[in-house]
Amino acid sequence: MHDRRQFIKLASIGSAALAIGCGADGSVDQKPAPTRTEKSEGPLVLSTWRHGVAANAKAWEVLRAGGNVLDAVEQGVAVVESDLTNRSVGLGGMPDRDGHVTLDACIQDHEGRAGAVAFVQRFEHPISIARAVMERTPHVMLVGAGAERWALENGFAPRDVEIPEVRAKWQEWLKQGQYKPVVNIENHDTIGMIAMDAQGRLAGSCTTSGMAFKVHGRVGDSPIIGAGLFVDGEAGAACATGVGELVIRTAGSHTVVELMRQGMHPNAACKEAVRRIIKQNPDMTDKQVGFLAIRKDGVYGGFSVYNGFEYALNTPDRTELVETAFDRKWA
Ligand code: SD4
């Protein structure tokens, strides 16, 4: 329970966010946001989309057992990477326009240590390679053939997966060959996970097969620290989903964390990041973007361009799928 002083503090943060002018209706900021301000109240896990439910269950298991928050975010999203029925994460994902499934992932801890891989093929767990890059090299990111060779040399076994349904969809797409992503359907379902352990340590992970039928070699926001994911132990954590190019151009997750550092509520910080994207891109037709955020004090939230962006939430009191507030309705 929050005492009165705590309540006033939260209320004033909310109105500060409103005063910064994050949107005309203000409804997100005015709603009493979900809060977790006492560290003793326990851990917290958020992850994008419905597949986040299974990922969160795994992450929660790790945290409940007193495990490391970095293990939690790695093992959580790895569940989704292994699910070959998932068409937007892992080896079951949709291919690029040349028929290759190429994967992007990154991970970051509360000390700002980070690892990433991009444009990798034939590995089931890019998130684990990303973590290994972080822990075993002086680098942050490895890409393509170099990343694959490094993974092989470091004990990761390649895996060849051929999914007839995916092949058939690609062949169908080739008939027109048009790149026309549509929001909220299987083309936009990266898993991004952000979490806090009982001691208040933050970590995040993000992994995806990227946009279906992308140009071979294209890398989205998901493996880019500051775009698809950003964690700062002193301020908060954020992750993104949706059209990666829009998120990269605005350093989306970094924006969210920096706004929270200034005291902004996570809902308002995500909303402001969305506002900047919309400002840069007056025509947002078919372009979904959503953000999730946890502020250092355990307050959390999210916001998206269109309705339909759900996130899986685990707290000591709640295990739910939550829809974020949004800027506009997808008709
Ligand atoms: C990307 N952000 O590669 C990813 C796409 C996605 O949910 O599916 N996001 O741009």
PDB file of all heavy atoms in Angstrom, residues 196-220:
ATOM      1  N   MET A 196      12.188  -6.240 -13.799  1.00  0.00           N
ATOM      2  CA  MET A 196      12.861  -5.734 -12.599  1.00  0.00           C
ATOM      3  C   MET A 196      12.799  -6.838 -11.552  1.00  0.00           C
ATOM      4  O   MET A 196      11.759  -7.490 -11.398  1.00  0.00           O
ATOM      5  CB  MET A 196      12.117  -4.493 -12.097  1.00  0.00           C
ATOM      6  CG  MET A 196      12.666  -3.900 -10.832  1.00  0.00           C
ATOM      7  SD  MET A 196      11.635  -2.494 -10.309  1.00  0.00           S
ATOM      8  CE  MET A 196      12.526  -1.161 -11.068  1.00  0.00           C
ATOM      9  N   ASP A 197      13.903  -7.069 -10.868  1.00  0.00           N
ATOM     10  CA  ASP A 197      13.865  -8.099  -9.824  1.00  0.00           C
ATOM     11  C   ASP A 197      13.509  -7.471  -8.475  1.00  0.00           C
ATOM     12  O   ASP A 197      13.283  -6.260  -8.373  1.00  0.00           O
ATOM     13  CB  ASP A 197      15.169  -8.908  -9.785  1.00  0.00           C
ATOM     14  CG  ASP A 197      16.370  -8.081  -9.343  1.00  0.00           C
ATOM     15  OD1 ASP A 197      16.182  -6.976  -8.774  1.00  0.00           O
ATOM     16  OD2 ASP A 197      17.504  -8.537  -9.563  1.00  0.00           O
ATOM     17  N   ALA A 198      13.441  -8.303  -7.462  1.00  0.00           N
ATOM     18  CA  ALA A 198      12.985  -7.827  -6.152  1.00  0.00           C
ATOM     19  C   ALA A 198      13.933  -6.794  -5.551  1.00  0.00           C
ATOM     20  O   ALA A 198      13.547  -6.011  -4.684  1.00  0.00           O
ATOM     21  CB  ALA A 198      12.820  -9.014  -5.206  1.00  0.00           C
ATOM     22  N   GLN A 199      15.162  -6.761  -6.048  1.00  0.00           N
ATOM     23  CA  GLN A 199      16.130  -5.767  -5.555  1.00  0.00           C
ATOM     24  C   GLN A 199      16.104  -4.483  -6.382  1.00  0.00           C
ATOM     25  O   GLN A 199      16.911  -3.582  -6.165  1.00  0.00           O
ATOM     26  CB  GLN A 199      17.562  -6.344  -5.585  1.00  0.00           C
ATOM     27  CG  GLN A 199      17.851  -7.383  -4.506  1.00  0.00           C
ATOM     28  CD  GLN A 199      17.178  -8.713  -4.801  1.00  0.00           C
ATOM     29  OE1 GLN A 199      17.191  -9.189  -5.934  1.00  0.00           O
ATOM     30  NE2 GLN A 199      16.570  -9.309  -3.799  1.00  0.00           N
ATOM     31  N   GLY A 200      15.222  -4.441  -7.390  1.00  0.00           N
ATOM     32  CA  GLY A 200      15.131  -3.231  -8.209  1.00  0.00           C
ATOM     33  C   GLY A 200      16.107  -3.196  -9.369  1.00  0.00           C
ATOM     34  O   GLY A 200      16.259  -2.171 -10.027  1.00  0.00           O
ATOM     35  N   ARG A 201      16.752  -4.328  -9.651  1.00  0.00           N
ATOM     36  CA  ARG A 201      17.661  -4.361 -10.805  1.00  0.00           C
ATOM     37  C   ARG A 201      16.858  -4.579 -12.072  1.00  0.00           C
ATOM     38  O   ARG A 201      15.978  -5.437 -12.126  1.00  0.00           O
ATOM     39  CB  ARG A 201      18.691  -5.495 -10.657  1.00  0.00           C
ATOM     40  CG  ARG A 201      19.804  -5.169  -9.682  1.00  0.00           C
ATOM     41  CD  ARG A 201      20.792  -6.314  -9.644  1.00  0.00           C
ATOM     42  NE  ARG A 201      20.125  -7.521  -9.198  1.00  0.00           N
ATOM     43  CZ  ARG A 201      20.402  -8.166  -8.055  1.00  0.00           C
ATOM     44  NH1 ARG A 201      21.358  -7.742  -7.272  1.00  0.00           N
ATOM     45  NH2 ARG A 201      19.732  -9.259  -7.727  1.00  0.00           N
ATOM     46  N   LEU A 202      17.211  -3.829 -13.103  1.00  0.00           N
ATOM     47  CA  LEU A 202      16.480  -3.888 -14.372  1.00  0.00           C
ATOM     48  C   LEU A 202      17.271  -4.660 -15.424  1.00  0.00           C
ATOM     49  O   LEU A 202      18.498  -4.701 -15.389  1.00  0.00           O
ATOM     50  CB  LEU A 202      16.269  -2.471 -14.902  1.00  0.00           C
ATOM     51  CG  LEU A 202      15.363  -1.557 -14.086  1.00  0.00           C
ATOM     52  CD1 LEU A 202      15.627  -0.098 -14.459  1.00  0.00           C
ATOM     53  CD2 LEU A 202      13.908  -1.913 -14.321  1.00  0.00           C
ATOM     54  N   ALA A 203      16.553  -5.238 -16.375  1.00  0.00           N
ATOM     55  CA  ALA A 203      17.192  -5.818 -17.556  1.00  0.00           C
ATOM     56  C   ALA A 203      16.153  -5.881 -18.660  1.00  0.00           C
ATOM     57  O   ALA A 203      14.945  -5.802 -18.405  1.00  0.00           O
ATOM     58  CB  ALA A 203      17.744  -7.208 -17.273  1.00  0.00           C
ATOM     59  N   GLY A 204      16.637  -6.047 -19.898  1.00  0.00           N
ATOM     60  CA  GLY A 204      15.705  -6.154 -21.015  1.00  0.00           C
ATOM     61  C   GLY A 204      16.271  -7.014 -22.124  1.00  0.00           C
ATOM     62  O   GLY A 204      17.490  -7.217 -22.228  1.00  0.00           O
ATOM     63  N   SER A 205      15.360  -7.520 -22.949  1.00  0.00           N
ATOM     64  CA  SER A 205      15.757  -8.339 -24.097  1.00  0.00           C
ATOM     65  C   SER A 205      14.794  -8.074 -25.239  1.00  0.00           C
ATOM     66  O   SER A 205      13.656  -7.642 -25.012  1.00  0.00           O
ATOM     67  CB  SER A 205      15.722  -9.828 -23.720  1.00  0.00           C
ATOM     68  OG  SER A 205      14.420 -10.183 -23.271  1.00  0.00           O
ATOM     69  N   CYS A 206      15.249  -8.345 -26.438  1.00  0.00           N
ATOM     70  CA  CYS A 206      14.396  -8.106 -27.601  1.00  0.00           C
ATOM     71  C   CYS A 206      14.848  -9.058 -28.703  1.00  0.00           C
ATOM     72  O   CYS A 206      16.055  -9.200 -28.935  1.00  0.00           O
ATOM     73  CB  CYS A 206      14.586  -6.643 -28.039  1.00  0.00           C
ATOM     74  SG  CYS A 206      13.370  -6.077 -29.214  1.00  0.00           S
ATOM     75  N   THR A 207      13.910  -9.743 -29.346  1.00  0.00           N
ATOM     76  CA  THR A 207      14.312 -10.693 -30.390  1.00  0.00           C
ATOM     77  C   THR A 207      13.219 -10.813 -31.434  1.00  0.00           C
ATOM     78  O   THR A 207      12.027 -10.779 -31.112  1.00  0.00           O
ATOM     79  CB  THR A 207      14.707 -12.056 -29.764  1.00  0.00           C
ATOM     80  OG1 THR A 207      15.044 -12.985 -30.800  1.00  0.00           O
ATOM     81  CG2 THR A 207      13.610 -12.649 -28.905  1.00  0.00           C
ATOM     82  N   THR A 208      13.636 -10.950 -32.695  1.00  0.00           N
ATOM     83  CA  THR A 208      12.652 -10.894 -33.785  1.00  0.00           C
ATOM     84  C   THR A 208      13.203 -11.519 -35.061  1.00  0.00           C
ATOM     85  O   THR A 208      14.422 -11.598 -35.250  1.00  0.00           O
ATOM     86  CB  THR A 208      12.283  -9.422 -34.074  1.00  0.00           C
ATOM     87  OG1 THR A 208      11.177  -9.370 -34.958  1.00  0.00           O
ATOM     88  CG2 THR A 208      13.436  -8.666 -34.683  1.00  0.00           C
ATOM     89  N   SER A 209      12.279 -11.911 -35.933  1.00  0.00           N
ATOM     90  CA  SER A 209      12.686 -12.250 -37.302  1.00  0.00           C
ATOM     91  C   SER A 209      12.477 -11.034 -38.205  1.00  0.00           C
ATOM     92  O   SER A 209      12.697 -11.096 -39.402  1.00  0.00           O
ATOM     93  CB  SER A 209      11.894 -13.454 -37.815  1.00  0.00           C
ATOM     94  OG  SER A 209      10.511 -13.225 -37.694  1.00  0.00           O
ATOM     95  N   GLY A 210      12.035  -9.946 -37.607  1.00  0.00           N
ATOM     96  CA  GLY A 210      11.919  -8.682 -38.347  1.00  0.00           C
ATOM     97  C   GLY A 210      10.706  -8.649 -39.252  1.00  0.00           C
ATOM     98  O   GLY A 210       9.813  -9.489 -39.175  1.00  0.00           O
ATOM     99  N   MET A 211      10.688  -7.680 -40.092  1.00  0.00           N
ATOM    100  CA  MET A 211       9.544  -7.492 -40.981  1.00  0.00           C
ATOM    101  C   MET A 211       9.536  -8.587 -42.044  1.00  0.00           C
ATOM    102  O   MET A 211      10.558  -8.846 -42.673  1.00  0.00           O
ATOM    103  CB  MET A 211       9.645  -6.142 -41.682  1.00  0.00           C
ATOM    104  CG  MET A 211       9.914  -4.976 -40.760  1.00  0.00           C
ATOM    105  SD  MET A 211       8.485  -4.462 -39.841  1.00  0.00           S
ATOM    106  CE  MET A 211       7.711  -3.396 -41.023  1.00  0.00           C
ATOM    107  N   ALA A 212       8.384  -9.169 -42.262  1.00  0.00           N
ATOM    108  CA  ALA A 212       8.266 -10.194 -43.295  1.00  0.00           C
ATOM    109  C   ALA A 212       8.612  -9.601 -44.664  1.00  0.00           C
ATOM    110  O   ALA A 212       8.259  -8.471 -44.970  1.00  0.00           O
ATOM    111  CB  ALA A 212       6.841 -10.730 -43.306  1.00  0.00           C
ATOM    112  N   PHE A 213       9.339 -10.355 -45.458  1.00  0.00           N
ATOM    113  CA  PHE A 213       9.664 -10.021 -46.853  1.00  0.00           C
ATOM    114  C   PHE A 213      10.505  -8.744 -46.980  1.00  0.00           C
ATOM    115  O   PHE A 213      10.479  -8.059 -48.009  1.00  0.00           O
ATOM    116  CB  PHE A 213       8.378  -9.911 -47.692  1.00  0.00           C
ATOM    117  CG  PHE A 213       7.423 -11.060 -47.445  1.00  0.00           C
ATOM    118  CD1 PHE A 213       6.092 -10.833 -47.122  1.00  0.00           C
ATOM    119  CD2 PHE A 213       7.874 -12.379 -47.502  1.00  0.00           C
ATOM    120  CE1 PHE A 213       5.224 -11.896 -46.879  1.00  0.00           C
ATOM    121  CE2 PHE A 213       7.004 -13.443 -47.263  1.00  0.00           C
ATOM    122  CZ  PHE A 213       5.673 -13.204 -46.948  1.00  0.00           C
ATOM    123  N   LYS A 214      11.223  -8.440 -45.940  1.00  0.00           N
ATOM    124  CA  LYS A 214      12.150  -7.298 -45.968  1.00  0.00           C
ATOM    125  C   LYS A 214      13.252  -7.554 -47.006  1.00  0.00           C
ATOM    126  O   LYS A 214      13.483  -8.701 -47.415  1.00  0.00           O
ATOM    127  CB  LYS A 214      12.774  -7.132 -44.571  1.00  0.00           C
ATOM    128  CG  LYS A 214      13.580  -8.358 -44.115  1.00  0.00           C
ATOM    129  CD  LYS A 214      13.850  -8.393 -42.626  1.00  0.00           C
ATOM    130  CE  LYS A 214      14.516  -9.717 -42.222  1.00  0.00           C
ATOM    131  NZ  LYS A 214      14.678  -9.854 -40.774  1.00  0.00           N
ATOM    132  N   VAL A 215      13.964  -6.502 -47.358  1.00  0.00           N
ATOM    133  CA  VAL A 215      15.119  -6.629 -48.242  1.00  0.00           C
ATOM    134  C   VAL A 215      16.180  -7.463 -47.520  1.00  0.00           C
ATOM    135  O   VAL A 215      16.417  -7.258 -46.315  1.00  0.00           O
ATOM    136  CB  VAL A 215      15.682  -5.227 -48.589  1.00  0.00           C
ATOM    137  CG1 VAL A 215      17.005  -5.345 -49.343  1.00  0.00           C
ATOM    138  CG2 VAL A 215      14.666  -4.439 -49.404  1.00  0.00           C
ATOM    139  N   HIS A 216      16.803  -8.372 -48.238  1.00  0.00           N
ATOM    140  CA  HIS A 216      17.842  -9.202 -47.628  1.00  0.00           C
ATOM    141  C   HIS A 216      18.959  -8.297 -47.095  1.00  0.00           C
ATOM    142  O   HIS A 216      19.515  -7.487 -47.845  1.00  0.00           O
ATOM    143  CB  HIS A 216      18.401 -10.160 -48.689  1.00  0.00           C
ATOM    144  CG  HIS A 216      19.335 -11.192 -48.131  1.00  0.00           C
ATOM    145  ND1 HIS A 216      18.949 -12.117 -47.178  1.00  0.00           N
ATOM    146  CD2 HIS A 216      20.640 -11.438 -48.378  1.00  0.00           C
ATOM    147  CE1 HIS A 216      19.973 -12.897 -46.875  1.00  0.00           C
ATOM    148  NE2 HIS A 216      21.024 -12.499 -47.594  1.00  0.00           N
ATOM    149  N   GLY A 217      19.255  -8.450 -45.821  1.00  0.00           N
ATOM    150  CA  GLY A 217      20.271  -7.594 -45.207  1.00  0.00           C
ATOM    151  C   GLY A 217      19.677  -6.512 -44.323  1.00  0.00           C
ATOM    152  O   GLY A 217      20.387  -5.892 -43.531  1.00  0.00           O
ATOM    153  N   ARG A 218      18.379  -6.292 -44.441  1.00  0.00           N
ATOM    154  CA  ARG A 218      17.732  -5.254 -43.621  1.00  0.00           C
ATOM    155  C   ARG A 218      17.797  -5.628 -42.134  1.00  0.00           C
ATOM    156  O   ARG A 218      17.552  -6.756 -41.739  1.00  0.00           O
ATOM    157  CB  ARG A 218      16.281  -5.103 -44.059  1.00  0.00           C
ATOM    158  CG  ARG A 218      15.468  -4.051 -43.287  1.00  0.00           C
ATOM    159  CD  ARG A 218      14.682  -4.652 -42.150  1.00  0.00           C
ATOM    160  NE  ARG A 218      13.785  -3.681 -41.514  1.00  0.00           N
ATOM    161  CZ  ARG A 218      13.110  -3.924 -40.398  1.00  0.00           C
ATOM    162  NH1 ARG A 218      13.230  -5.091 -39.783  1.00  0.00           N
ATOM    163  NH2 ARG A 218      12.323  -3.013 -39.872  1.00  0.00           N
ATOM    164  N   VAL A 219      18.119  -4.653 -41.326  1.00  0.00           N
ATOM    165  CA  VAL A 219      18.113  -4.825 -39.872  1.00  0.00           C
ATOM    166  C   VAL A 219      17.150  -3.795 -39.304  1.00  0.00           C
ATOM    167  O   VAL A 219      17.179  -2.630 -39.698  1.00  0.00           O
ATOM    168  CB  VAL A 219      19.533  -4.630 -39.294  1.00  0.00           C
ATOM    169  CG1 VAL A 219      19.498  -4.550 -37.778  1.00  0.00           C
ATOM    170  CG2 VAL A 219      20.451  -5.762 -39.750  1.00  0.00           C
ATOM    171  N   GLY A 220      16.311  -4.235 -38.398  1.00  0.00           N
ATOM    172  CA  GLY A 220      15.337  -3.323 -37.800  1.00  0.00           C
ATOM    173  C   GLY A 220      15.834  -2.712 -36.511  1.00  0.00           C
ATOM    174  O   GLY A 220      17.041  -2.662 -36.230  1.00  0.00           O
TER     175      GLY A 220
END
